[in-house]
Amino acid sequence: MYFFLNIVSLKKKIFSKKVKSVKFPGIYGDLSVFLNHSPLLTFIRSGSIDIKLKNGNIEYIYVSKGILEVQPKITNVLANYAINSKNLNNIDLINKKNKIESCYKKIKDFDCSYQIKKKYNNILKKIFFLKNIKKK
């Protein structure tokens, strides 16, 4: 049997399908959810959500903190930031990382460098996420 999973970021809906099971990065450790799970409301940390689809395949979504709501037949994630692994390309990310590194060396303005550091850290998280998925 299956239950419905919704994953939404601040900007858009990332995932909305029936699934077999899901593993979340909980604050105190990973947590798995199945059909008819008892109701739960908790925070999740940044990390990978591992989704077992109806066909048995596994899909990975990276989230940057959020709130998990579990009901017996539906589970919702409200994340600060989320991206599906299918939308990430390692070569593009490395090229962006290198471009930001070269720009950062040229800039000394604090406000501008803060924004560049923020983008750089976000790209590093995505690269780390992709490397971890390949290990699974």
Side-chain angles (χ1 to χ4, degrees):
M1 296 299 292
Y2 312 107
F3 64 98
F4 211 80
L5 173 66
N6 293 308
I7 300 175
V8 180
S9 74
L10 293 174
K11 293 185 180 182
K12 63 182 179 177
K13 185 188 299 187
I14 305 297
F15 185 92
S16 186
K17 293 181 186 173
K18 286 188 175 183
V19 299
K20 283 185 179 179
S21 65
V22 188
K23 185 174 87 175
F24 295 98
I27 294 292
Y28 299 108
D30 291 345
L31 117 94
S32 294
V33 173
F34 299 89
L35 178 67
N36 294 323
H37 194 285
S38 56
L40 170 71
L41 184 63
T42 187
F43 291 103
I44 55 174
R45 70 182 192 286
S46 297
S48 175
I49 296 176
D50 303 356
I51 304 164
K52 190 166 189 180
L53 303 172
K54 287 173 30 174
N55 63 8
N57 292 342
I58 297 178
E59 196 165 316
Y60 302 96
I61 296 180
Y62 171 79
V63 293
S64 175
K65 298 180 187 173
I67 298 173
L68 169 65
E69 175 199 21
V70 178
Q71 295 294 327
K73 296 188 184 332
I74 188 167
T75 297
N76 297 301
V77 175
L78 307 171
N80 291 346
Y81 175 82
I83 188 164
N84 195 315
S85 64
K86 293 190 290 187
N87 299 336
L88 293 176
N89 180 325
N90 201 31
I91 294 169
D92 288 344
L93 290 173
I94 289 172
N95 288 339
K96 287 179 184 178
K97 174 184 147 299
N98 293 337
K99 187 175 179 180
I100 288 173
E101 284 174 347
S102 66
C103 289
Y104 184 65
K105 290 175 186 174
K106 298 174 188 173
I107 296 173
K108 295 182 180 170
D109 178 19
F110 176 76
D111 291 335
C112 191
S113 66
Y114 172 77
Q115 290 299 323
I116 290 173
K117 282 182 185 177
K118 192 173 176 182
K119 286 181 183 178
Y120 181 73
N121 286 334
N122 194 14
I123 288 171
L124 289 179
K125 286 179 186 176
K126 291 176 185 176
I127 291 170
F128 180 76
F129 172 61
L130 280 178
K131 285 180 182 177
N132 283 337
I133 288 173
K134 290 177 183 176
K135 290 178 186 175
K136 291 184 181 184

